[in-house]
Amino acid sequence: MQHPIRFYKKSAGGLGSLHGTAKALRSNGAVPALKVLPRLNQPLGVDCPGCAYPDSPKDKAVDFCEQGAWAVAHETTPRRAPPEFFAAHTLAELRQRSEAELEGFGRLTAPMLYDSASDTYREVAWEQAFQLAAQALRALDSPQRAVFYASGRSSNEAAFPYQLFARAFGTNNMPDSSNYCHESSGMALGSTLGVGKATITREDFEHAEAIFVFGQNPGTNHPRMLGDLREAALRGCRVVVFNPMLEPGLRSFADPQSPKETLTGHGARIATEYFQVRVGGDLAALTGMAKAVLEAEQAGGKVLDHEFIARHTSGFEEFAATVRAAAWSQIEADSGLSRARIEQAAAVYITSRASIATWCMGLTQHEYAVETIQALVNLMLLRGNVGRPGAGLMPVRGHSNVQGDRTVGVTNRPKQEWLDGLQRVFGFTPPAAHGLDAVAAIKGIMDGSVHAFLGLGGNFAVAGPDTPRVLQAMQGLQLTVHIATKLNRTHLHPGRVGLLLPCLGRTERDEQAGGPQFVSVEDTASMVHASTGRGEPASAKLRSEPHIVTELARATLGESAIPWQAMGSDYATTRSLIEQVAQTAVAGFEKYNERIAQPRGFYLPNSARNRDWRTASGKAQFTAIALPQDTIMRRARAQYGDAVLCLATVRAHRQYNTTVYRDSTGEVDRYRGVHHTRKVLFIGAATMARLGLRDGQLVDIHAAAPDGIARQCKGYQLVRYDVPEGDVFGYFPELTPLISPDLMARGSKTPAFKEVPVLLTPAG
């Protein structure tokens, strides 16, 4: 069998990114995308739908990346999936297609209703679609039977009426994409600093002396960050990386806007130090770094910020005692790093006068994710690296407005201040009990306690664990409603009433009864800014997300004190209502409509950045965390034997969450060198030798699940890669069928996509 790997030896970025951008345009029709790209991430332009990384605070002629070009090219594609397409393809047939093929069919053009007799979607009038959904919702015996899921790509102007719809209907069953990714970050930061968001802005990268990057692959997931890391490295900032895989984008990066670097293929070195921690070993590594810092202080190094600790923190003594009691032998075993290497990382931290810690889902999707991020906060508090220039913490979020959606109320666990604001402004009493998160919604769909599912974007079943079983269960629902731009796999498993409602993309012109509209989003650094589409809509029958949401609500709930029609036709009304509700719940929305018209928008203040600690103690909180003895992997090996490996799912370079991009060249994942297939499993030479396997061999992957349910993915090719012994890596979402819903982070209940116990057998 031909090996799918052609290892990439150049720097990330550079000519490869330029070629990749050109491929995106050629494969999807260049003209519409070329009209959008110059305005992408520009003041008063179009916010890139690709990720939530902050826009540049400086004027840049070009501020988009290759991934952004793919996202825009796929949204502006000339390909269409009209009613005639659905009439010619049964859902049973479409289920045999790959994720990339479903994406490649193009934009949805008309509202569709599932017809079980023909097993096809058929066109339906918009008003009929709204009434069918409303009738099904009103027929439920309890509002708690409904789930309102929200993807983080929708705007504030869509998310706010969506959460209002759910609560006026009577439920907080509002899972969102944060449940799948950064819920652990919000919980850990909220408990320790009093705010679940980044404490830094993009400008802080210009002042940091050290940047610590954990569990993150910017070259694939948010490439614009590589520009900031490159500039920091060139001015002498130390960039320290903790990642089990050696990612080319974290080793060196050639700025595509630098002619010299692009032509030579040799970019700037990014990682000053690269630590290949074991999967899930970051908690031990951080404990070791904190231990090394405390030992340096005890040796007379005077490295702690005693004034900050005394004035601004609580819990130091208990934390310090726990860290001092941690055995170096367990720290080394759990982290996969030697004591000397951990002390080397600590030395960089000790000598830096301003340090930033940044992370992504490599930290958040583990059983002990919340504790790991709390341990990272502990480390930063030791030297006062919160609330001063060039220092702080940044979880880098994926969906372009996942943080904004949460800010304007999309959560299954709303704060009482937000509910009070809704009652004060709209005159009804919202439900106070917490609703279902994503994993609980999955379990509710499978056990039959959930009867209706509404999705504001996203690919819910494929993005979550236990995909085949969830998809099958969704067909038993009374109602499924999907608001979407393109077809995905979750849409192919409709309920008794199954609606597919096509919406405008962010790049498209939005004309409503109130005139031309724009929307607003919040990035990962708390900047709220406008996004205005000007492209021709893919179909005259498309409706905007705010319009669809408000019309669904109006049809379901009838006329009331809530101005649904006004919110759907003039988004300034929605922004004014957000401002009113947020008065006592979220600081920073004053004069929303006026300030959003500013070229770069406005910043939502962060209390921790100002050293105003909104915690139970009124101070930043150290957390005493003993290294765990009972873990997913230890339990799995006790149940299934020592052959159990730890699988971490990762994204490919040409991919955005569950959306897989494809062109005729067969390139799948340039920086890891994968071509023509996504059915590969990255594995170390020592692991293969121990298990009697060989490079290139085909294997079947079996879940070593705690519930004993047989789950498997067949026919994966082993690829020898420099990764820690006992760890293997494969692509999301193809491997989500292996994940039991019982594998999740403690507290946050984020699925443990990075900690899946598996067994390998030769392919049958």
Side-chain angles (χ1 to χ4, degrees), residues 243-244 275-283 285 332-337 362 366 633-634 637 646 724-727 729:
N243 199 309
F275 297 94
Q276 281 189 269
V277 65
R278 291 181 60 183
V279 171
D282 302 274
L283 176 55
E332 290 179 311
D334 289 358
S335 68
L337 302 173
H366 295 275
M633 295 309 302
R634 289 191 177 113
R637 286 170 178 147
C646 182
E725 204 280 331
D727 295 337
F729 301 79

Side-chain angles (χ1 to χ4, degrees), residues 222-233:
H222 29 265
R224 285 189 296 152
M225 184 179 181
L226 289 182
D228 288 346
L229 293 177
R230 171 184 173 274
E231 292 179 9

Side-chain angles (χ1 to χ4, degrees), residues 96-120:
Q96 306 306 312
R97 303 301 187 103
S98 69
E99 306 299 328
E101 287 177 305
L102 295 178
E103 166 74 16
F105 289 133
R107 294 289 301 277
L108 304 172
T109 65
M112 310 296 292
L113 172 67
Y114 179 62
D115 175 57
S116 59
S118 63
D119 189 33
T120 61

Side-chain angles (χ1 to χ4, degrees), residues 294-437:
L294 293 175
E295 289 175 350
E297 174 72 19
Q298 191 173 7
K302 298 182 180 179
V303 298
L304 300 184
D305 189 334
H306 292 282
E307 190 276 335
F308 175 84
I309 292 171
R311 181 177 178 184
H312 289 285
T313 73
S314 175
F316 172 78
E317 293 300 334
E318 184 182 359
F319 149 77
T322 303
V323 169
R324 291 187 180 109
W328 274 110
S329 58
Q330 185 179 357
I331 291 172
E332 290 179 311
D334 289 358
S335 68
L337 302 173
S338 68
R339 175 176 177 175
R341 288 286 282 159
I342 293 173
E343 289 176 336
Q344 186 179 358
V348 176
Y349 181 67
I350 288 170
T351 56
S352 168
R353 292 171 296 180
S355 296
I356 287 174
T358 176
W359 68 95
C360 201
M361 289 179 289
L363 291 196
T364 66
Q365 294 176 334
H366 295 275
E367 181 179 19
Y368 288 88
V370 174
E371 291 86 347
T372 299
I373 299 164
Q374 288 172 331
L376 182 53
V377 173
N378 287 339
L379 182 67
M380 299 296 282
L381 294 179
L382 286 175
R383 289 180 50 77
N385 278 307
V386 182
R388 54 191 176 88
L393 299 114
M394 175 185 273
V396 180
R397 303 180 189 271
H399 285 85
S400 62
N401 194 42
V402 65
Q403 187 161 297
D405 285 4
R406 184 59 64 89
T407 299
V408 299
V410 174
T411 175
N412 66 297
R413 293 184 285 192
K415 293 182 179 180
Q416 189 58 48
E417 296 89 342
W418 184 262
L419 298 180
D420 291 344
L422 294 178
Q423 183 171 3
R424 172 172 45 80
V425 174
F426 298 108
F428 73 97
T429 302
H434 288 174
L436 302 179
D437 59 22

Side-chain angles (χ1 to χ4, degrees), residues 560-581:
S560 69
I562 302 175
W564 299 115
Q565 192 168 19
M567 283 192 286
S569 60
D570 185 356
Y571 306 161
T573 300
T574 304
R575 290 187 287 271
S576 177
L577 292 169
I578 293 173
E579 178 183 341
Q580 294 175 50
V581 172

Side-chain angles (χ1 to χ4, degrees), residues 363-551:
L363 291 196
T364 66
Q365 294 176 334
H366 295 275
E367 181 179 19
Y368 288 88
V370 174
E371 291 86 347
T372 299
I373 299 164
Q374 288 172 331
L376 182 53
V377 173
N378 287 339
L379 182 67
M380 299 296 282
L381 294 179
L382 286 175
R383 289 180 50 77
N385 278 307
V386 182
R388 54 191 176 88
L393 299 114
M394 175 185 273
V396 180
R397 303 180 189 271
H399 285 85
S400 62
N401 194 42
V402 65
Q403 187 161 297
D405 285 4
R406 184 59 64 89
T407 299
V408 299
V410 174
T411 175
N412 66 297
R413 293 184 285 192
K415 293 182 179 180
Q416 189 58 48
E417 296 89 342
W418 184 262
L419 298 180
D420 291 344
L422 294 178
Q423 183 171 3
R424 172 172 45 80
V425 174
F426 298 108
F428 73 97
T429 302
H434 288 174
L436 302 179
D437 59 22
V439 169
I442 282 171
K443 292 181 177 180
I445 291 170
M446 289 196 292
D447 68 22
S449 59
V450 168
H451 295 171
F453 177 89
L454 289 81
L456 181 59
N459 192 359
F460 176 76
V462 173
D466 225 356
T467 299
R469 297 176 70 227
V470 177
L471 289 172
Q472 183 178 9
M474 291 191 78
Q475 295 176 205
L477 295 173
Q478 295 178 23
L479 172 69
T480 54
V481 178
H482 299 289
I483 302 170
T485 58
K486 287 189 174 184
L487 188 65
N488 66 46
R489 192 164 305 282
T490 304
H491 303 157
L492 303 179
H493 296 263
R496 184 176 61 83
V497 176
L499 290 163
L500 189 53
L501 306 181
C503 63
L504 294 170
R506 193 172 292 175
T507 62
E508 292 170 319
R509 186 174 65 253
D510 187 351
E511 295 277 355
Q512 299 295 330
Q517 303 296 316
F518 66 87
V519 297
S520 56
V521 298
E522 179 187 348
D523 64 32
T524 200
S526 300
M527 286 296 298
V528 180
H529 52 273
S531 179
T532 306
R534 292 189 174 88
E536 188 68 22
S539 165
K541 295 181 180 179
L542 299 185
R543 299 293 182 266
S544 73
E545 286 181 316
H547 175 87
I548 295 171
V549 167
T550 53
E551 287 301 297

